[in-house]
Amino acid sequence: MQRARGFGEVLRARGLRRTAQRELVLAALADLGHATPEDIAGRVQRQAPDVNLSTVYRALDALVEVGLVARGHLDRAAASYHLVEHADHLHVLCEGCAAMAEVSSAEASALAARIEELSGFAVDVRHLLLRGRCPACRESPPGS
Amino acid sequence: MQRARGFGEVLRARGLRRTAQRELVLAALADLGHATPEDIAGRVQRQAPDVNLSTVYRALDALVEVGLVARGHLDRAAASYHLVEHADHLHVLCEGCAAMAEVSSAEASALAARIEELSGFAVDVRHLLLRGRCPACRESPPGS
DNA sequence: TTAAGTGCAAACAATTTGCATGGCA
DNA sequence: TGCCATGCAAATTGTTTGCACTTAA
């Protein structure tokens, strides 16, 4: 359970370094849950105004590469990131109002098993983002 | 089963028009299965070189709006479109080599029902894009 | 006839990259 | 000390928009 220590090790194991910026990005993600690069940069810059947006992008790439962070895809123009340790549930995004629900990823394990049986593909359901409509928006269809 | 006729009607019902460009976009999608706007534009331009990329974007928006086409999200920088009538299966994209497998969307109906039960969200599993690793790529992990 | 659709070019927004400097190991 | 990481600015890439012209209904 020593996140901070494991963090440095995991990076070093791949020839990457532990830096203040990368820690700030992790802290921002822990704080925000899931967020876009810009959200993360904003949060980080409250503590370190000089951290550049491109550094956030590069930090996110590094953290995804070592497996500490996962990338989602909210819509065509906005990537979404979250901590892997925070990813024991899948997200359902409402296409009407952008509300987000969370469901245990265990619910999807049967589907994952079936897909593997049928296609041989290993699906990682821990980082799954589904789209749907929340109870309130179900009454007002998309093209109304 | 008269796709062409239904096409015009569906558009007209929303005050939209049937045009040669929109038909070409539909034909391109029927041909390509799933494709990015640029892929589609390339295909369309083989028959009608003057069709502009922005027209393809606008045609796709219109077709999504009337429910003939669905939008997916391959990665941060590329939307993916496909015909709804071609969408009775969900796609699994290999993160290693970009291979694509298809599985009947019926497999996901149990998950959708469970999510609705738990959260009240209606999930549309007909247009689901999952990520995983194909049999070949499972042997070579992401950050190797 | 007339509102919707198109082509073109310019505007935007998200992300990436080159390069010189700074800092972990 | 060497190599990775950062800041900055410029370059790319994907997508949208304003406008005058064309066309389906």
Side-chain angles (χ1 to χ4, degrees), chain A residues 35-50:
Chain A
T36 66
E38 200 144 8
D39 292 337
I40 296 164
R43 185 75 187 70
V44 166
Q45 286 166 352
R46 276 168 40 190
Q47 294 171 57
D50 288 346

Side-chain angles (χ1 to χ4, degrees), chain A residues 49-60:
Chain A
D50 288 346
V51 173
N52 196 274
L53 179 57
S54 67
T55 299
V56 171
Y57 275 101
R58 287 192 273 222
L60 287 169

Side-chain angles (χ1 to χ4, degrees), chain A residues 18-102:
Chain A
R18 174 183 190 170
T19 68
Q21 289 88 337
R22 287 172 181 174
E23 291 223 58
L24 285 168
V25 167
L26 278 183
L29 279 173
D31 205 37
L32 297 169
H34 31 72
T36 66
E38 200 144 8
D39 292 337
I40 296 164
R43 185 75 187 70
V44 166
Q45 286 166 352
R46 276 168 40 190
Q47 294 171 57
D50 288 346
V51 173
N52 196 274
L53 179 57
S54 67
T55 299
V56 171
Y57 275 101
R58 287 192 273 222
L60 287 169
D61 284 345
L63 295 170
V64 168
E65 191 181 324
V66 301
L68 289 172
V69 169
R71 196 184 348 247
H73 301 272
L74 287 178
D75 57 59
R76 63 196 121 184
S80 161
Y81 295 81
H82 60 94
L83 295 183
V84 163
E85 67 176 22
H86 175 258
D88 52 342
H89 46 248
L90 50 87
H91 299 112
V92 190
L93 174 71
C94 175
E95 299 193 307
C97 66
M100 185 92 80
E102 298 183 343

Side-chain angles (χ1 to χ4, degrees), chain B residues 15-105:
Chain B
L16 303 177
R17 291 175 186 170
R18 174 182 189 169
T19 68
Q21 290 87 336
R22 288 171 180 175
E23 292 224 59
L24 285 168
V25 167
L26 277 183
L29 279 173
D31 205 39
L32 297 169
H34 32 72
T36 65
E38 199 143 12
D39 293 337
I40 296 164
R43 185 74 187 70
V44 166
Q45 286 166 354
R46 277 168 39 189
Q47 294 172 58
D50 288 344
V51 173
N52 194 274
L53 179 55
S54 67
T55 299
V56 171
Y57 275 100
R58 287 191 274 222
L60 287 169
D61 284 346
L63 295 170
V64 167
E65 192 182 321
V66 300
L68 289 172
V69 168
R71 199 189 340 253
H73 301 273
L74 285 178
D75 59 59
R76 65 197 119 184
S80 162
Y81 295 80
H82 60 95
L83 296 184
V84 162
E85 68 176 20
H86 175 257
D88 52 341
H89 46 248
L90 50 87
H91 299 111
V92 189
L93 174 71
C94 176
E95 300 194 305
C97 64
M100 186 90 81
E102 299 183 343
V103 177
S104 165
S105 60

Side-chain angles (χ1 to χ4, degrees), chain B residues 86-133:
Chain B
H86 175 257
D88 52 341
H89 46 248
L90 50 87
H91 299 111
V92 189
L93 174 71
C94 176
E95 300 194 305
C97 64
M100 186 90 81
E102 299 183 343
V103 177
S104 165
S105 60
E107 302 293 344
S109 58
L111 173 62
R114 183 80 178 121
I115 289 174
E116 181 165 346
E117 186 183 325
L118 291 171
S119 69
F121 276 56
V123 180
D124 184 2
V125 291
R126 290 171 312 162
H127 314 308
L128 195 54
L129 179 64
L130 301 173
R131 280 143 219 291
R133 298 187 74 77

